[in-house]
Amino acid sequence: EDKVVQSPLSLVVHEGDTVTLNCSYEVTNFRSLLWYKQEKKAPTFLFMLTSSGIEKKSGRLSSILDKKELSSILNITATQTGDSAIYLCAGRIQGAQKLVFGQGTRLTINP
Amino acid sequence: EAQVTQNPRYLITVTGKKLTVTCSQNMNHEYMSWYRQDPGLGLRQIYYSMNVEVTDKGDVPEGYKVSRKEKRNFPLILESPSPNQTSLYFCASTDGNQETQYFGPGTRLLVL
């Protein structure tokens, strides 16, 4: 059974800290892994990663996939209160639009 | 403005009364999906569509139907809703490169 597991489930840090969120996947015919940010509304796309191992960056956010470990990390540096959200990762299956989501990590940034 | 729209945004209904949640996208995307989101379970895919008249089951298709007669629309049909279908539902569409998935605003459904 395809499975995506995120850790931690919840994380509370102070503004300015750096955080690392983890995502491990067991997906047959794996194609890519996606990260999303969900505030009090619909998820918004952050990154798509493949087994190429290329790191993706956007401002203070960065992410990379380790194909040997079947995992990915999402780093956020110099966190701000606006980074507070649920972060979701999902594994995509080759040749299909089937996505398997993890439970999400609830990140809270305190001022 | 590129967007995915869903209607209704909120719906309270009773067990057994058929309902349809509409989803429409204006980006000419081929791929569309429906998800439900429940506390502690995350997002689970109900159905997805690779193109017009091409649909396939996700992880939790029981109790749901979909259709894709036009590229822009992908309605979700609950023929006989039950209380365990109370949830937050998201429609999403994906661009041709399959890199970016756009989510609709969500439909919060309560089945009594």
Side-chain angles (χ1 to χ4, degrees), chain A residues 11 15 19 21 29 37 43 54 60 66-67 69 72 85 91 104-105:
Chain A
L11 183 59
E15 200 167 21
V19 297
L21 310 183
N29 298 318
K37 177 182 181 182
I54 295 173
R60 296 176 293 102
D66 184 334
K67 65 178 180 181
E69 296 294 325
S72 172
T105 293

Side-chain angles (χ1 to χ4, degrees), chain A residues 31-32 34 36 38 41-45 47-48 56 86 88 92 95-104, chain B residues 31 33 35 37 40-43 45 48-50 57-59 88 90 94 97-101 103-105:
Chain A
R31 175 188 171 98
S32 59
L34 300 97
Y36 296 86
Q38 185 177 24
K41 48 189 177 181
T44 53
F45 174 82
F47 299 116
M48 186 199 76
K56 297 286 181 76
I86 295 173
L88 301 165
R92 173 176 280 149
Q97 275 296 295
K98 193 165 189 290
L99 286 177
V100 180
F101 279 83
Q103 325 93 297
Chain B
Y31 309 111
S33 298
Y35 300 89
Q37 188 171 34
L41 297 176
L43 275 164
Q45 194 170 38
Y48 61 93
S49 170
M50 304 279 278
K57 295 177 181 178
D59 287 323
L88 177 59
F90 289 106
T94 309
N97 293 327
Q98 302 181 49
E99 287 216 10
T100 307
Q101 187 165 214
F103 280 82

Side-chain angles (χ1 to χ4, degrees), chain A residues 2-62:
Chain A
D2 297 323
K3 187 169 62 174
V4 174
V5 177
Q6 293 183 244
S7 63
L9 293 181
S10 181
L11 183 59
V12 181
V13 300
H14 288 294
E15 200 167 21
D17 288 351
T18 293
V19 297
T20 298
L21 310 183
N22 300 285
C23 175
S24 64
Y25 60 92
E26 292 177 28
V27 175
T28 52
N29 298 318
F30 173 80
R31 175 188 171 98
S32 59
L33 186 133
L34 300 97
W35 282 98
Y36 296 86
K37 177 182 181 182
Q38 185 177 24
E39 297 169 271
K40 292 183 180 178
K41 48 189 177 181
T44 53
F45 174 82
L46 293 175
F47 299 116
M48 186 199 76
L49 303 159
T50 66
S51 299
S52 68
I54 295 173
E55 184 181 25
K56 297 286 181 76
K57 288 185 177 181
S58 177
R60 296 176 293 102
L61 277 67
S62 64

Side-chain angles (χ1 to χ4, degrees), chain B residues 1-6 21-34 49 51-53 67-75 91-94:
Chain B
E1 181 192 350
Q3 61 181 354
V4 179
T5 56
Q6 293 179 229
V21 184
T22 64
C23 173
S24 183
Q25 50 97 359
N26 63 1
M27 295 166 280
N28 203 36
H29 288 167
E30 291 181 349
Y31 309 111
M32 297 185 75
S33 298
W34 274 104
S49 170
N51 211 329
V52 175
E53 302 291 2
S67 69
R68 188 92 183 273
K69 295 177 181 165
E70 309 164 275
K71 202 170 189 179
R72 63 182 291 126
N73 296 323
F74 190 43
C91 178
S93 74
T94 309

